Amino acid sequence: MAGRAFPGEDRRVWLIIAAIVLGGALVIPLSQALFGLRFTYTVRVVALGGAILGVLSGALGCFAVLRRESLVGDALSHAALPGVAIAFLLAGRELSPLLIGAGVASWLGLRFVAALLTTTRIKQDTALGIVLASWFAAGIALLAYIQSIPDASQAGLDHFIFGQAAAIIESDVRLVSAVGAVVLLALALFWKEFKLVTFDAEFAGANGFRVGLINALLSTLVVVTIVLGLQLAGVILMVGMLIAPGVAARQWTQKLDQMVILAAVFGAFSGGLGAVISALDSDIPTGPMIIVVAFALVLMSLFLAPGRGLLWSRLRGRANRRRFAARNTLRDLYRYALAHGAAESPVPDAFIRGVGDRSAELGLSQLRGDGHVRLGADGWQLSQSGIDLARRDGRNQALWNVYRLHAHELNLPIVAEERYVDIASRLPAAAIAELERRLPGSAGG
Amino acid sequence: MEHPDRPALSIDDLTVAYQEKPAIWDIDLDVPEGVLMAIVGPNGAGKSTLIKAALNLIPRAAGSVSFSGLPYERARSLVAYVPQRGSVDWDFPTSVLDVVTMGLYGKLGWFRRPGPSERELALGALEQVGLADFAERQISQLSGGQQQRTFLARALVQDAQIYFMDEPFAAVDAVTENAIVNILRQLNQRGKTVLVVHHDLQTVAEYFDWVTLLNVEVIAAGPTSEVFTLENLQKTYGGRVSYLHGGQLMTASAP
């Protein structure tokens, strides 16, 4: 793990992006062949709309995830429903007024949460719960009322609850693309500010950034993204579309820019594929399909991603156990042998197994394989290479000890104390010589 | 040491209240230019609050603050801040170099992106704190002490006149403590003013030439040799205070 961490990680991220894009492109001929899905004009519009919304929600969702505001996203999307209903009653079934209504209702919900937090002792999660439930309930009640109006029964507003991609038409996609382009442009322009405020708002404030303004701008972009996605994913599951791509992307990379790009690609894949699946049959709601695809990506990422993935950390744990078992066993053998005469003295098998129990087994087999130790009649005996290795290790530890004690007064360069690493690889030769002079038992000390 | 007439930091009648209770009350404090000052006091004395209020990070109930005679709005480029390292999420997807570069964002202003010259400056600051080899590392791989030094480098890169550091010595390893002390001395030699919230009474006299004893109000402020006395410490902490000074245990109890 010395020096540069995760070499080749950048390349890996681009590979994944290429794979997903390729996979997305293959969906079309595959689904034609397997399911006999005909890529009619409608299906293409739906897929395109889903993909564009996926890009937006994936990119902006990263910030929701990193700011621990996933629940805020959930409350915001639920809170949009009454706005949709009221806008329909006022302006009829045109997408843009419906979305404006949704945005206003969300924004009012957010303001209400803020008001609850500043004027009462209610905590944030509770305040979000209050807004989520009450706004959503109001929305459902209004929808029920709208359904009861005779000439409005065809409105299909209930599609906003679970999402219905089939309802998306070309002009919707054009609207979403135009607004989405503005959102992404704003994200690019204020990238540095968003990153700083997300990582360390206090520091940003002390450096003269208008933290409140930047936060408000970022929240607005998230609200706009949620509102645009409502028709597709529905108010209930929109939060999944927002956070799942970010969660999956985080597993694969350690850089914010890569995370956002990867999340956008994951989002596009889930949005597009989910929309196409739901277009197979008008009874399949789109929101759940998108979420199924998105969370398949999340599961895969949580499990497989190198570095952070579960599989990886299992393997690393095993490798570490092996590495340290050999080292520790060698140390135990050497100490025992020295205490009983000389480095070549045999060490009883029962002793070494008693000290290290299972890891001794592991360590002994490795040391034996490398020729550092052999089993004689009286027990384990270090070979010359084993003795050398143990001495080198002991000297290395001793030098690290001297470094810790005297680095300051000797004015040595400051390096991280990685005691399992050869100190000579961390410090210049002159510094090592200084340390050696102060080793206990050396003439100069 | 010379202390010109105009103090580097001047605080007048500063009061900050959370709910009704004042966290700091009626603070009057002049910090001369070029001092290395510890802010010392018990838990809840308002040490961090004092720094944050001076930097306009929390609203003031009353009072004013000026930096070399300028209000904060016009003195921003003079000031660098090292927050407590626990205040951020160290699992944030970014590298050490990137965090240090954030120290330059304020100078860049809106829309401009950091480029090669910012990278050079950030690498230089990392070199100073002994983390040059860690530039490309992900920040979640750092130890506590390395995190603290990363934050310190982020402040150094700002090349400010006054440095505010909130508990930089809290729970760090010996290497880091030495590194921070070295940096403090270098800053001091270059005539910078440094304010450090500090917890360890043992090292106050060794590390700092100026000290402010704080417990909601300023109990005493001035040169360490004059102000850092058992009597003042007792006024600050109340009850029994003891600390090691020159290898000797100093103790004072309430009469």
Side-chain angles (χ1 to χ4, degrees), chain B residues 6 21 26 40 42 60 77 83 91 93 105 115-116 124 139 142 149 159-160 175 181 186 203 206 218 220 252:
Chain B
R6 204 167 54 182
K21 216 177 109 215
D26 198 17
V40 176
R60 304 168 188 159
S77 60
D91 195 35
Y105 284 8
I139 56 170
L142 299 179
R149 280 186 274 156
D159 194 27
V175 176
V181 171
Q186 283 167 28
T203 49
E206 187 191 340
V218 171

Side-chain angles (χ1 to χ4, degrees), chain A residues 413-436:
Chain A
I414 299 159
V415 296
E417 264 195 56
E418 293 177 306
R419 304 180 69 92
Y420 47 89
V421 178
D422 184 9
I423 192 168
S425 71
R426 288 284 184 268
L427 290 170
I432 300 290
E434 284 269 17
L435 293 176
E436 274 169 348

Side-chain angles (χ1 to χ4, degrees), chain A residues 1 3 5-6 66 68 188 192 195 199-200 202-203 206-209 250 254 256 308 408 414 416, chain B residues 52 57 72 76 81 88 91 93-94 98 105 109 112-113 130 134 137-138 141 146 149 154 158 175 178:
Chain A
M1 294 298 283
F6 300 117
L66 291 173
R68 301 167 190 194
K192 173 170 110 268
K195 177 158 120 184
F199 175 62
D200 193 346
E202 223 172 47
F203 184 78
N207 277 267
F209 284 96
R250 178 68 187 93
Q254 309 281 8
L256 183 62
R308 297 173 76 92
H408 193 49
I414 299 159
Chain B
K52 286 179 188 171
L57 292 174
Y72 178 70
R76 268 183 196 128
Y81 173 47
V88 303
D91 195 35
T94 192
D98 210 25
Y105 284 8
R112 278 185 54 210
R113 303 234 166 160
F134 287 68
R137 267 211 204 177
Q138 213 276 323
Q141 297 174 345
Q146 290 162 352
R149 280 186 274 156
R154 184 176 65 170
Q158 291 180 261
V175 176
N178 289 336

Side-chain angles (χ1 to χ4, degrees), chain A residues 319-343:
Chain A
N320 271 342
R321 271 201 302 282
R322 288 180 67 87
R323 196 152 60 98
F324 291 114
R327 206 174 264 243
N328 293 344
T329 309
L330 178 66
R331 220 180 268 182
D332 290 340
L333 287 168
Y334 184 62
R335 279 195 197 136
Y336 183 96
L338 281 186
H340 290 77

Side-chain angles (χ1 to χ4, degrees), chain B residues 144-189:
Chain B
Q146 290 162 352
Q147 291 172 356
Q148 191 63 61
R149 280 186 274 156
T150 304
F151 263 13
L152 196 58
R154 184 176 65 170
L156 289 177
V157 86
Q158 291 180 261
D159 194 27
Q161 294 303 314
I162 312 175
Y163 289 80
F164 289 81
M165 306 186 183
D166 201 345
E167 305 239 14
F169 292 106
V172 297
D173 52 288
V175 176
T176 299
E177 177 141 353
N178 289 336
I180 298 174
V181 171
N182 280 339
I183 299 278
L184 292 182
R185 293 196 174 134
Q186 283 167 28
L187 289 172
N188 187 242
Q189 276 159 19

Side-chain angles (χ1 to χ4, degrees), chain B residues 1-12 27-39 50-51 54 65-69 161-164 188 191-196 208-213 218 220-223:
Chain B
M1 195 169 300
E2 280 211 327
H3 301 129
D5 297 343
R6 204 167 54 182
L9 171 69
S10 180
I11 299 178
D12 291 307
I27 303 282
D28 284 301
L29 185 64
D30 283 343
V31 182
E33 212 172 289
V35 300
L36 203 50
M37 184 179 96
I39 302 171
L50 176 61
I51 285 192
V65 177
S66 67
F67 300 84
S68 302
Q161 294 303 314
I162 312 175
Y163 289 80
F164 289 81
N188 187 242
K192 313 285 188 183
T193 311
V194 188
L195 280 73
V196 179
F208 301 98
D209 61 3
W210 206 264
V211 68
T212 293
L213 296 170
V218 171

